[in-house]
Amino acid sequence: MENEFQITAEPRSGLGTAMTRRLRRAGRVPAIIYGGEQANSVVTLDHNNIYHHLKREAFHSHVLTLEVGDRSEQVILRDVQMHPYKQQVMHLDFLRVSADRKLRMTVPLHFLGEETAPGVKQSGGVVSHVMPEVEIECLAKDLPEFIAVDISGLEIDQSLHLSDLILPSGVTIPALAFGHDHDLPVVAINPPRKQEAEPGEAEPGAAPAATDDENA
């Protein structure tokens, strides 16, 4: 993985609503680290730093290094709580990962070849991103930043399903283990949308409307 994220956190001793409000006013974000064989840890992070990290797609699909005091933890971001209308991070959940235990993550799909696909370039079709992300299972070392989906060969009315995705080594899609019914479509090229006629404009091929003189 090209992107590496190292975040500094501080242990948090105080709990409760009043404490979390004071932390947020001081520019800190409360967070919890859970999972593995260790007890849950409550920490805080710098708001501005974590807010900018969250804007990066890779931050949501990478193993992160969380520095807490004199120890380092390997984690993934499991949940983000944002303020309903302010640009403010309210709380974060981090899940510990281990080198020998598979994890499940949702990673984005990057669609390639849209402009050159025959269904678009030659037939004027419209690309429909049915599934913008996919849940995968793999070891932490095999976790991809995204899955590339090449649609450059698709004709109109054709689609790609989960089973058509080319996955990196060590990566699987858990949904496919449940049978054909779970092999869902990921992307499709649909026929061009029909343009609606302007008010008073006849549809192509329609007979012209009769005039008052003709009705007389």
Side-chain angles (χ1 to χ4, degrees):
M1 291 175 287
E2 296 180 0
N3 293 290
E4 293 184 1
F5 297 94
Q6 185 167 327
I7 310 154
T8 300
E10 296 180 0
R12 174 164 62 108
S13 55
L15 300 175
T17 303
M19 174 60 73
T20 56
R21 286 176 179 169
R22 284 197 292 271
L23 288 170
R24 292 179 184 127
R25 284 197 296 266
R28 306 294 296 179
V29 179
I32 185 170
I33 308 170
Y34 67 95
E37 299 178 355
Q38 304 176 47
N40 295 351
S41 298
V42 287
V43 297
T44 69
L45 306 97
D46 178 76
H47 180 274
N48 290 341
N49 180 262
I50 203 69
Y51 181 79
H52 289 297
H53 277 318
L54 288 170
K55 291 183 177 180
R56 300 181 60 182
E57 181 184 65
F59 189 74
H60 298 259
S61 57
H62 268 66
V63 175
L64 316 172
T65 300
L66 204 57
E67 303 287 348
V68 186
D70 58 355
R71 76 179 192 276
S72 177
E73 302 228 37
Q74 298 294 110
V75 301
I76 55 174
L77 180 63
R78 201 42 120 187
D79 187 57
V80 181
Q81 295 178 27
M82 299 293 297
H83 193 278
Y85 56 87
K86 295 180 181 178
Q87 293 184 338
Q88 182 180 8
V89 186
M90 302 296 287
H91 192 274
L92 298 171
D93 289 4
F94 295 102
L95 173 66
R96 295 185 182 95
V97 300
S98 59
D100 58 351
R101 183 175 299 174
K102 288 187 175 183
L103 54 90
R104 289 195 179 188
M105 284 283 289
T106 299
V107 298
L109 298 175
H110 285 191
F111 299 94
L112 311 176
E114 295 188 7
E115 296 180 357
T116 58
V120 175
K121 188 174 182 179
Q122 299 171 14
S123 305
V126 179
V127 178
S128 174
H129 300 138
V130 183
M131 192 178 295
E133 57 188 19
V134 63
E135 184 184 59
I136 61 170
E137 185 176 68
C138 62
L139 295 174
K141 68 179 181 65
D142 296 323
L143 181 63
E145 181 178 334
F146 59 86
I147 302 293
V149 185
D150 185 2
I151 68 169
S152 61
L154 286 188
E155 301 280 355
I156 205 158
D157 282 329
Q158 288 186 337
S159 61
L160 294 178
H161 289 66
L162 289 174
S163 61
D164 297 315
L165 299 183
I166 299 176
L167 304 174
S169 177
V171 177
T172 60
I173 297 177
L176 294 177
F178 295 97
H180 180 73
D181 290 344
H182 293 265
D183 189 13
L184 302 176
V186 171
V187 61
I189 298 184
N190 299 323
R193 300 184 182 93
K194 294 181 180 179
Q195 295 183 349
E196 296 182 1
E198 294 293 330
E201 181 182 340
E203 292 284 348
T211 64
D212 292 339
D213 291 341
E214 292 172 337
N215 293 327

